[in-house]
Structure formats: C-alpha cells, structure tokens
C-alpha cells in the first residue's frame, strides 16, 4: 500500500511539474494515476485533502534532508549552513512539491499542515536561538525570508550551479549572522 501511495504521489507531482498545480483537477489526477475520480474522492474526500497529504509528505522529506545535512558538533554555524544548503537544494530538486509546501505558483493547499510545518521549523529554530536569544521570532522570520528568498531566486533564475550553491549559501548565512550580532 505504501509503494502504491508513493507511486500516486510521484505521478501527481510529475503532473504538477507539467501542468502546474492551479490547472490540476481531480479528473486530470485520476487520468494520470489510473484511478476513477470516485476512488480519489472515497480515498481522500477531496482534491484539497489529497494535496494536504502530499504537502505533509513534502515537509517530512525536507525535514529528513535537514537531519541528513547536520554533522557532528551539534548546534553551530556550520550545521546552520548545511541545513540551509539542504533547503535550497531541496527547492531546486523538488520544484512542484516545494511550490505546494509553500503555496507558490498557484499551489493552494488548505492550512492543515501547520503542525508538520511547526516541527520542521523547530529544526531551524534550534540553530537560531543561540544566535540572538532575546528576539527569537524576529530572527526566525528574517532567516526564513532569507533562505526562502534564496531558494526561489536561485531556482527560478538559475543563478548558480549546484557546486557554487554551497558557497553562496554559506556567505549569505554568515552575513545573516553578522547582521544579527
């Protein structure tokens, strides 16, 4: 069942890459995955619920990438850079999924993944809290604006090749840290 679910999700993401989230319908989804529209409604209840499941899965995937990017040494600047690079790379390698996760380019998903988003944000928050313990929310939002802006800009205008990406993100994070100190 899990393999079938992954196949369905992968097929839907491929469809979104091709057509865009805003043009997808239950009918186009059902045609792509070989299910009837009735089966989709009976399994998920609605297109929005199906997209929510895909969105939650995306946040689980990016969280896994964050954890894989961390090296021994705990909470430090190097790990913040590594996790930031993982975020930007994820946005490049998973464009349609990233769009759904962050409601970009017509990918409107119901707000049901809040708890998942919060857990993923905690991975980042643990690196930011020691940098400026007095205004944690502002620091988090500044970081998020920076990393999300980098991810979209680099991805959409193809500013950098992957081998230059790490250094560019490293410099951006170092400047961010200098700016908040």
């Amino acid at each position: 069942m899990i393999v079938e679910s992954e196949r369905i999700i992968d097929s839907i993401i491929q469809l979104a890459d091709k057509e865009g989230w805003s043009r997808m319908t239950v009918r186009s989804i059902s045609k792509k995955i070989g299910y009837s529209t009735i089966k989709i409604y009976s399994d998920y209840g609605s297109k929005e619920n199906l997209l929510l499941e895909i969105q939650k899965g995306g946040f689980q995937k990016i969280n896994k990438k964050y954890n894989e990017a961390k090296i021994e040494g705990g909470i430090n600047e190097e790990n913040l850079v590594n996790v930031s690079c993982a975020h930007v790379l994820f946005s490049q390698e998973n464009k349609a999924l990233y769009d759904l996760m962050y409601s970009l380019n017509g990918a409107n998903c119901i707000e049901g993944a809040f708890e998942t988003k919060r857990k993923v944000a905690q991975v980042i928050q643990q690196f930011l809290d020691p940098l400026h313990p007095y205004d944690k929310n502002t620091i988090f939002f500044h970081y998020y604006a920076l990393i999300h802006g980098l991810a979209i800009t680099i991805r959409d205008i193809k500013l950098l090749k992957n081998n230059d990406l790490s250094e560019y993100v490293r410099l951006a994070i170092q400047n961010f840290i200098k700016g908040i100190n």
Side-chain angles (χ1 to χ4, degrees):
M1 182 67 178
I2 292 174
V3 172
E4 180 66 11
S5 178
E6 288 175 7
R7 183 194 68 79
I8 290 169
I9 289 170
D10 289 344
S11 295
I12 293 169
I13 292 170
Q14 288 172 7
L15 182 63
D17 270 334
K18 183 179 176 185
E19 294 184 11
W21 291 106
S22 62
R23 286 187 265 151
M24 278 179 44
T25 63
V26 172
R27 181 165 288 145
S28 66
I29 292 169
S30 65
K31 184 177 178 182
K32 176 71 175 172
I33 65 175
Y35 276 24
S36 69
T37 56
I38 294 168
K39 173 85 169 130
I40 292 173
Y41 283 116
S42 69
D43 286 356
Y44 296 98
S46 68
K47 175 185 164 187
E48 290 76 19
N49 287 340
L50 173 59
L51 296 182
L52 176 63
E53 289 306 310
I54 296 170
Q55 183 187 48
K56 285 180 181 178
F59 281 110
Q60 291 168 351
K61 284 181 180 182
I62 202 169
N63 191 43
K64 183 178 178 189
K65 294 291 185 185
Y66 289 165
N67 287 316
E68 290 170 357
K70 292 187 283 186
I71 57 174
E72 286 190 38
I75 308 302
N76 57 42
E77 184 179 316
E78 185 67 23
N79 275 334
L80 178 60
V81 169
N82 291 342
V83 168
S84 300
C85 286
H87 184 99
V88 174
L89 280 171
F90 182 89
S91 77
Q92 290 185 330
E93 296 167 355
N94 302 278
K95 183 180 187 301
L97 182 56
Y98 191 86
D99 285 352
L100 181 65
M101 290 164 58
Y102 293 101
S103 300
L104 302 170
N105 297 322
N108 296 317
C109 196
I110 58 176
E111 288 297 322
F114 177 76
E115 187 60 27
T116 306
K117 286 180 184 180
R118 190 183 64 73
K119 286 179 184 175
V120 170
Q122 286 175 338
V123 173
I124 301 296
Q125 192 75 51
Q126 70 180 334
F127 294 105
L128 299 175
D129 285 352
L131 297 175
H132 200 285
Y134 303 109
D135 197 0
K136 295 176 182 183
N137 287 334
T138 301
I139 298 304
F140 176 78
F141 290 123
H142 282 228
Y143 169 83
Y144 177 78
L146 169 69
I147 201 64
H148 187 63
L150 280 173
I152 296 303
T153 302
I154 290 169
R155 179 189 86 179
D156 289 350
I157 65 170
K158 298 177 184 18
L159 182 63
L160 300 170
K161 296 183 182 352
N162 279 359
N163 55 343
D164 297 329
L165 176 76
S166 178
E167 187 58 28
Y168 191 80
V169 173
R170 176 178 310 286
L171 290 171
I173 297 302
Q174 287 171 342
N175 286 332
F176 167 77
I177 292 169
K178 285 178 192 173
I180 62 174
N181 284 332

